[in-house]
Amino acid sequence: MRLQRYTRGNFAPVTEEVTAFDLPVTGAIPDDLDGRYLRIGPNPLGIEDASAHIWTLGEGMVHGVRLRDGRAEWYRNRWVRSASVADRLGEPRRGRPVDERFDFAPNVQVAGHGGRVWALIEGGLAPYELTPELDTVGPSDLGATPEGFSANAHTKFDHRTGEMHSLAFRYGVDFIQHIVFSPNGGVQRTVNVPAPTLPYMHDFGLTDHYVLIYASPMVFDPQQLATGVPFGWNPDLPTQVGVMPREGGPVQWIDLPEGMVGHTLNAYEEAGTIVVDVAWHAGRFDLADIGAGRPVLERWTLDLAAGKARTELLHDRPQDFPRLNGRYSGRPYRYGYSASTELYAAPSTVDADRPDEGFSNAVLKHDLVAGTTETHEFGRDAAAGETVFVPSSTAASEDDGYNLLYVHNPERGAADLVILAAQDFSGEPLARVHLPARVPLGLHGNWIPEA
């Protein structure tokens, strides 16, 4: 019964693709927002058995809004047309052939790089290229290497070099690859990294000189292949972070308390140590029921000389999907943003009358220097998701910009694109762009500025 929550309410899929122009707006869209806000997530074409449905296995759907000159020009939602999705929609397959054993519509991340748009997944499954209007071009060789790896969902962009970095794993393969793409998307170099186990590696960290590799007791389990989530928790294995030079070399493994990283907020080098801020799931984790977790914001300070990690709780409200001003990625920074989302609402239940206590729909702004947190609350059933920070065109400070996110509007039964002023985070939104459709709770996205 616990998994049925992922088929109801704001988890329920939308059933139609929608295109709408000249969207209504409450407030005023800042004139310097010129680009597309895109987000992707699971949106199954059909659910045969709600009790067995695994939310993260739904076909990927991208939702996007085009902003320009203070206007919301369009909203579109589109399924990513993998071969199986095209078949189910009765459409011709697009792009190059793909091994149907690994044909799965990306549903984890959508990002821009090299002037193109990519829908990304993980585990060695193929990325897909999209047009600027979100139509599917087809499977892509972004980050493809001779060993069968490709760009993983959580790529990291280095604003100083223009490079894109990916730490990629493949199901059941005993090594991982650090893949570096050039500014135009070509593979610049790869480094093979032996893995201590067969871990599930959803995210990683990147600093000026190091790649940070997360190894947890969540490991490949061939007995779970039939479930679609071929991983299980082995409590006999350690939780560790590996530190590897960016150019390759020996990995130093440092022990941590039992748990798993959800996502990286940032990592940087400071006074001979490495500081890593993460959304942290303490203890055992279940990939088939990720909403049952209660991730918190935690900081690790890694002392490489001593081979030890000091851990510190930064904020104990359940939260995930941490983001920052991308210009500070890999560098010392002050502000981080995260979502205290319905995905981690307590309690995890299918009951319509679940209590308000612990129920959450908010985004948080953390001042990691002052040690304070501002909150923008959206209220029950708002389904607030990941927020993306966009610097203003005249940004003079780290938090001079905007936070964009999709928020469900219960009164309309549809979503709004909410735009917050990051320096007035808890104040009234600058704008609410009223979308013509519901946007289900999803995963990750990005702001893609007009070139």
Side-chain angles (χ1 to χ4, degrees), residues 243 252 254 271-275 300-310:
V243 182
Q252 181 179 358
I254 298 174
T273 66
I274 299 175
V275 178
W300 309 335
T301 302
L302 307 180
D303 184 334
L304 300 187
K308 293 183 178 181
R310 177 169 58 86

Side-chain angles (χ1 to χ4, degrees), residues 1 14 49 53 59 76 81 110 138 222 225 234 237 250 255 315 354 360 377 399 401 412 425 435 443:
M1 291 292 291
V14 298
D49 180 356
H53 176 67
E59 287 82 1
R76 287 180 168 89
R81 259 61 170 186
V110 58
L225 276 171
N234 184 343
L237 295 176
D255 289 333
H315 201 272
R354 57 190 180 274
S360 233
E377 299 280 355
D399 67 341
R412 296 194 311 107
F425 192 78
L435 310 186
L443 294 171

Side-chain angles (χ1 to χ4, degrees), residues 30-387:
D31 289 337
D32 56 348
L33 285 174
D34 183 8
R36 287 159 288 154
Y37 173 64
L38 308 181
R39 204 208 67 189
I40 198 169
N43 192 72
L45 281 163
I47 298 174
E48 295 179 1
D49 180 356
S51 65
H53 176 67
I54 296 176
W55 176 62
T56 54
L57 297 185
E59 287 82 1
M61 175 176 271
V62 183
H63 301 260
V65 176
R66 175 67 165 99
L67 304 179
R68 178 162 42 195
D69 297 331
R71 297 171 49 240
E73 291 188 345
W74 53 253
Y75 163 78
R76 287 180 168 89
N77 63 340
R78 297 290 186 272
W79 275 289
V80 180
R81 259 61 170 186
S82 67
S84 61
V85 169
D87 288 347
R88 295 186 69 180
L89 292 173
E91 299 176 354
R93 299 183 178 188
R94 304 178 185 184
R96 65 177 176 82
V98 65
D99 188 334
E100 295 198 12
R101 294 173 302 169
F102 304 102
D103 172 50
F104 193 85
N107 65 9
V108 180
Q109 178 70 281
V110 58
H113 187 65
R116 297 155 78 181
V117 180
W118 313 94
L120 302 171
I121 192 167
E122 57 196 8
L125 304 177
Y128 273 62
E129 184 178 356
L130 308 178
T131 71
E133 288 73 35
L134 311 187
D135 294 319
T136 299
V137 177
S140 165
D141 59 359
L142 180 69
T145 69
E147 296 82 7
F149 293 80
S150 58
N152 218 48
H154 282 288
T155 55
K156 310 288 183 191
F157 182 70
D158 189 327
H159 281 262
R160 283 155 290 187
T161 66
E163 297 172 338
M164 189 79 86
H165 294 251
S166 187
L167 195 68
F169 71 95
R170 290 183 62 202
Y171 298 146
V173 176
D174 63 357
F175 66 97
I176 55 181
Q177 279 194 334
H178 175 217
I179 307 169
V180 183
F181 326 137
S182 66
N184 66 8
V187 174
Q188 234 171 231
R189 68 177 185 275
T190 63
V191 175
N192 292 344
V193 185
T197 59
L198 297 176
Y200 171 75
M201 292 188 177
H202 181 64
D203 202 355
F204 71 108
L206 187 72
T207 73
D208 275 342
H209 299 99
Y210 297 101
V211 177
L212 305 176
I213 306 164
Y214 308 137
S216 77
M218 182 64 70
V219 292
F220 178 76
D221 180 355
Q223 295 183 358
Q224 299 292 324
L225 276 171
T227 70
V229 182
F231 294 92
W233 192 267
N234 184 343
D236 296 329
L237 295 176
T239 301
Q240 299 176 309
V241 57
V243 182
M244 184 186 77
R246 268 173 69 149
E247 302 298 324
V251 179
Q252 181 179 358
W253 293 99
I254 298 174
D255 289 333
L256 292 163
E258 184 185 46
M260 196 176 87
V261 171
H263 298 97
T264 307
L265 172 54
N266 199 18
Y268 59 91
E269 299 162 37
E270 182 178 69
T273 66
I274 299 175
V275 178
V276 193
D277 295 338
V278 296
W280 174 248
H281 294 261
R284 191 181 184 115
F285 185 75
D286 183 358
L287 276 177
D289 187 19
I290 62 174
R294 297 290 177 266
V296 295
L297 190 63
E298 185 165 291
R299 169 167 288 182
W300 309 335
T301 302
L302 307 180
D303 184 334
L304 300 187
K308 293 183 178 181
R310 177 169 58 86
T311 64
E312 173 188 1
L313 179 66
L314 296 177
H315 201 272
D316 64 356
R317 182 169 179 170
Q319 61 195 278
D320 204 347
F321 308 112
R323 300 296 291 261
L324 76 161
N325 181 339
R327 297 174 183 176
Y328 290 80
S329 182
R331 299 168 51 192
Y333 72 120
R334 180 169 184 169
Y335 300 106
Y337 309 88
S338 57
S340 189
T341 172
E342 189 173 332
L343 176 61
Y344 300 112
S348 177
T349 177
V350 300
D351 297 334
D353 59 346
R354 57 190 180 274
D356 287 326
E357 182 181 358
F359 199 81
S360 233
N361 277 299
V363 286
L364 313 178
K365 176 186 179 182
H366 302 287
D367 184 333
L368 299 168
V369 174
T372 59
T373 297
E374 293 179 73
T375 303
H376 194 108
E377 299 280 355
F378 290 101
R380 185 183 176 100
D381 296 323
E386 178 186 62
T387 178

